Amino acid sequence: MSEIKKIRNFSIVAHIDHGKSTLSDRLIQACGGLSDREMREQVLDSMELERERGITIKAQTVRLDYKAKDGNHYQLNFMDTPGHVDFSYEVSRSLAACEGSLLVVDSSQGVEAQTLANAYLAIENNHEIIPVLNKIDLPSAEPERIRTQIEDVVGIDASDAIAVSAKTGEGIVDVLEALVSRLPPPKGAANVSLKALLVDSWYDSYLGVVALVRIVDGCLKPGMKLKMIATGAIHEVDQVGVFRPKQDTVAELGPGEIGFITASIKSVSDCKVGDTLTEAKNGAVEALPGFKPTVPVVFCGLFPVDNADYEDLRESLGKLALNDSSFHYEAETSAALGFGFRCGCLGLLHLEIVQERLSREFDLELITTAPSVVYRLHLMSGEEMTLHNPADYPDQVQIKSVQEPWIKATIIVPDEYLGPILSLCTERRGEQDQLTYVGNRAMAVYYLPLNEVVFDFYDRLKSISRGYASFDYELVGYRENDLVRVGILVNGEPVDALSMIVHRSSAESRGRQICERLKELIPRQLFKVPIQAAIGGKVIARETISAMRKDVTAKCYGGDITRKRKLLEKQKKGKKKMREFGNVEIPQSAFIDALKMSDR
């Protein structure tokens, strides 16, 4: 157990691609956490998906030992956090376990939307912030201009910001010295009853549930009986350890330290992130503040391609929900797709990552329905209901009003791309709040309906600005709007998996688009198949798949014309009968293609 004055807990926050993970690599190397042979790029991005996409998805914790220039040995506990807006919950959890932050800014790109959002998160947690200007080895780096920009946009003093190159290792010792001299040590006492914050948890197939904890007061040792205050569950600690970044068991964890424990926890529900751990006997009564629970903003249905995989999917979602506390799910059924689950995520990237992890880590083939947001419906009866699935939309006559979630979006973009981006926001029913300039970059703040953002807003934003725009958002509440449910009918049968809720002004164009797409995807039958988009009982768009024609007159050669007419008449009656009783099977591939979000 280290002396509490020699402990420094900090997290590394920044916008996507500003160099957090590379800076983590250099800090690990400088403190001798790993040998040169064990070192690799983005060593903390252990998930295959993280390495493939070059992004951080899970916050990772490392303990390093550093001998400072003053001759003292310090214990540095740091967390490398994600930069994407969908994973900002991971960032807020990490910040709650630390006393300070390194705010990393790319010295060629400058302050971006997530830089701003993460800096404000750190300020809310009363962090001491050390600005770090990364990538000074680039020819386009302008550290002095970026220093001024940090002061103007973020509003923190950047005169002593540290210039580093995480790639070459330049300035890393300055960062370590600043951590030791400028960050405050944690507070806490060792001789009182245990209080520990459960920061994160994940599932290990050998050890069961592994919990990452930050000790606030007291000591944590193997053999202790722990009580989880929120759930009331009691477990005996098997193992106590830290990440250096390899797992390393220790005799105990004292106040201010961050480490992991295993306690043969098998049930997912026993481990709630943000819970307080204390001793089972004579433990603390009051829980620590914990974290605000996450609110999923995007919902979609996940169905197994083969219905026999339903139980596997249920088990896999349970394990995934333990690794990712911001992921929610509940069972649902669909007439077209059978049994599945309604899943709630924090955004489209989060949803995509969940799908990828289910198919890779658990070897499942899945169909995903179109993503939708949570609506609030006020019914004529005076009741209020929340709607996650457009298929559950009640009859229009029962509805008094519909409210949809709105967000406050911050977009930072070079001046030359501003015009098309303002047009895009207006096209998506956006309302401008403010427009300010910092040098040649504009910062636009818009209020937008979340429904218009979840599909392809981010992709459109990036393509319009050639990748230079950065985007961050926060939920600001619900507003009433003229929203309708567009249902899709194939051969007169409703297909609930394809229904969607849209604004009345864009209902017709959206309905027409999906009908045209289904016309290309559904195979032709021996009879005409109508595809319709409807609001209630009113059809607003229609396409018809023409029938396959069988030449029944092929065997007639010569003879009277009435023979041919007789055969064609017989065929017509048969087709009419077929249309009445015929069933159109929509192939799974057609569902998947029709629901592809990006082709909107």
Side-chain angles (χ1 to χ4, degrees):
M1 187 169 76
S2 291
E3 192 187 333
I4 197 161
K5 288 179 187 168
K6 304 281 175 61
I7 298 174
R8 299 289 182 271
N9 297 324
F10 66 97
S11 57
I12 304 179
V13 292
H15 188 76
I16 313 152
D17 282 342
H18 279 203
K20 294 179 298 299
S21 297
T22 313
L23 181 63
S24 307
D25 291 353
R26 294 295 84 78
L27 293 174
I28 291 167
Q29 243 175 335
C31 296
L34 289 172
S35 65
D36 290 344
R37 187 173 61 81
E38 292 169 311
M39 217 41 221
R40 59 176 181 168
E41 279 186 30
Q42 276 92 37
V43 72
L44 297 182
D45 291 344
S46 51
M47 220 187 288
E48 189 186 332
L49 260 174
E50 292 180 313
R51 303 193 68 75
E52 202 173 280
R53 287 170 176 250
I55 58 172
T56 302
I57 295 167
K58 288 289 291 176
Q60 300 286 353
T61 312
V62 178
R63 175 191 284 195
L64 299 173
D65 296 309
Y66 174 62
K67 187 181 180 185
K69 287 179 180 173
D70 61 8
N72 288 320
H73 285 269
Y74 289 88
Q75 182 197 115
L76 305 178
N77 294 308
F78 82 82
M79 294 193 176
D80 175 26
T81 60
H84 199 282
V85 61
D86 282 17
F87 306 116
S88 57
Y89 182 61
E90 289 278 333
V91 181
S92 63
R93 277 208 321 246
S94 305
L95 295 176
C98 302
E99 285 78 39
S101 289
L102 287 182
L103 180 68
V104 181
V105 182
D106 185 327
S107 56
S108 60
Q109 302 271 349
V111 175
E112 303 272 10
Q114 275 301 107
T115 315
L116 204 59
N118 288 337
Y120 289 157
L121 273 176
I123 292 164
E124 275 172 35
N125 282 281
N126 299 320
H127 273 207
E128 182 65 43
I129 298 173
I130 301 174
V132 174
L133 304 175
N134 192 17
K135 305 191 185 181
I136 55 162
D137 57 314
L138 292 179
S140 55
E142 300 174 82
E144 289 313 312
R145 184 177 68 82
I146 305 304
R147 265 182 228 271
T148 316
Q149 200 181 71
I150 292 171
E151 289 177 355
D152 293 348
V153 180
V154 185
I156 57 172
D157 179 22
S159 55
D160 52 0
I162 306 159
V164 304
S165 166
K167 191 177 175 185
T168 63
E170 186 184 338
I172 297 299
V173 175
D174 298 341
V175 173
L176 289 164
E177 285 298 319
L179 288 168
V180 168
S181 60
R182 285 157 62 177
L183 292 191
K187 294 183 176 78
N191 51 1
V192 294
S193 58
L194 174 72
K195 257 194 187 180
L197 179 69
L198 206 157
V199 182
D200 200 359
S201 59
W202 58 92
Y203 190 82
D204 185 293
S205 47
Y206 300 106
L207 303 168
V209 177
V210 182
L212 184 73
V213 292
R214 155 74 202 264
I215 313 296
V216 178
D217 285 317
C219 292
L220 182 57
K221 299 173 186 173
M224 279 175 79
K225 276 202 159 53
L226 291 185
K227 181 184 178 185
M228 315 246 182
I229 289 183
T231 58
I234 295 176
H235 296 282
E236 188 176 325
V237 180
D238 299 331
Q239 194 182 29
V240 175
V242 295
F243 295 100
R244 298 181 187 271
K246 291 186 290 190
Q247 283 191 13
D248 187 10
T249 51
V250 293
E252 62 176 352
L253 288 173
E257 295 190 317
I258 298 173
F260 70 87
I261 60 161
T262 60
S264 304
I265 306 168
K266 294 180 180 68
S267 168
V268 172
S269 55
D270 281 356
C271 236
K272 281 199 167 68
V273 168
D275 197 354
T276 304
L277 307 184
T278 187
E279 290 160 63
K281 285 183 182 171
N282 309 320
V285 182
E286 261 185 61
L288 294 163
F291 315 116
K292 282 189 289 186
T294 53
V295 181
V297 294
V298 179
F299 282 83
C300 80
L302 284 181
F303 296 86
V305 169
D306 180 357
N307 281 334
D309 292 340
Y310 177 74
E311 282 304 320
D312 291 346
L313 177 59
R314 183 205 295 278
E315 208 174 291
S316 306
L317 287 171
K319 287 176 182 172
L320 193 68
L322 179 69
N323 280 2
D324 184 352
S325 55
S326 51
F327 171 66
H328 299 252
Y329 68 97
E330 57 188 43
E332 76 161 351
T333 54
S334 154
L337 300 168
F339 291 99
F341 292 89
R342 192 94 198 142
C343 301
C345 298
L346 299 181
L348 277 193
L349 179 67
H350 188 201
L351 173 64
E352 213 178 306
I353 296 295
V354 164
Q355 282 172 254
E356 282 269 343
R357 287 185 69 184
L358 285 169
S359 64
R360 283 180 188 213
E361 295 173 28
F362 304 102
D363 204 23
L364 291 165
E365 271 191 80
L366 300 170
I367 295 170
T368 315
T369 63
S372 67
V373 297
V374 187
Y375 298 94
R376 284 186 188 157
L377 273 60
H378 296 273
L379 306 178
M380 291 294 188
S381 60
E383 280 180 70
E384 188 182 304
M385 68 178 277
T386 54
L387 184 77
H388 296 166
N389 188 349
D392 301 334
Y393 196 81
D395 197 343
Q396 197 73 39
V397 293
Q398 297 176 20
I399 298 169
K400 189 178 179 184
S401 64
V402 184
Q403 290 183 321
E404 62 177 342
W406 278 62
I407 60 165
K408 184 181 182 181
T410 306
I411 301 164
I412 297 179
V413 64
D415 194 21
E416 67 249 46
Y417 305 112
L418 184 63
I421 279 173
L422 297 184
S423 309
L424 174 69
C425 293
T426 311
E427 183 192 306
R428 297 297 170 93
R429 299 191 280 133
E431 295 171 6
Q432 191 175 322
D433 179 45
Q434 63 186 72
L435 183 63
T436 50
Y437 281 86
V438 180
N440 65 338
R441 299 168 85 210
M443 185 169 92
V445 178
Y446 264 84
Y447 289 104
L448 286 153
L450 184 61
N451 185 19
E452 297 286 348
V453 174
V454 295
F455 281 90
D456 61 346
F457 182 81
Y458 191 66
D459 295 345
R460 287 280 305 278
L461 189 75
K462 285 291 183 189
S463 61
I464 287 171
S465 66
R466 300 191 183 174
Y468 285 111
S470 63
F471 171 69
D472 178 59
Y473 68 84
E474 59 174 329
L475 281 169
V476 288
Y478 280 75
R479 288 196 205 175
E480 194 178 310
N481 247 314
D482 188 10
L483 300 166
V484 290
R485 174 181 178 264
V486 176
I488 303 295
L489 296 96
V490 176
N491 200 29
E493 292 290 316
V495 183
D496 57 356
L498 295 176
S499 56
M500 56 198 164
I501 296 171
V502 293
H503 194 265
R504 196 180 289 275
S505 61
S506 58
E508 195 179 318
S509 62
R510 289 292 303 279
R512 184 166 288 119
Q513 274 175 349
I514 205 153
C515 286
E516 284 169 4
R517 197 181 308 166
L518 282 172
K519 185 184 176 183
E520 293 164 20
L521 297 168
I522 296 174
R524 285 169 69 188
Q525 311 290 319
L526 288 167
F527 51 92
K528 277 185 187 171
V529 178
I531 300 167
Q532 297 160 308
I535 299 173
K538 183 187 172 191
V539 175
I540 54 168
R542 172 181 170 134
E543 291 288 335
T544 306
I545 301 172
S546 54
M548 285 164 72
R549 185 166 175 269
K550 184 183 175 189
D551 190 0
V552 288
T553 61
K555 60 181 185 283
C556 294
Y557 46 93
D560 191 359
I561 187 72
T562 51
R563 268 185 80 198
K564 287 187 178 180
R565 285 213 182 113
K566 205 170 171 184
L567 286 166
L568 289 167
E569 203 60 40
K570 197 174 173 186
Q571 185 188 36
K572 197 190 274 182
K573 278 182 190 166
K575 288 204 174 196
K576 189 179 177 187
K577 193 174 176 184
M578 211 185 255
R579 195 158 51 243
E580 284 170 21
F581 302 107
N583 211 348
V584 181
E585 279 288 316
I586 304 175
Q588 303 282 33
S589 58
F591 263 115
I592 295 164
D593 289 342
L595 294 170
K596 271 195 179 147
M597 306 163 238
S598 53
D599 301 348
R600 186 177 156 201

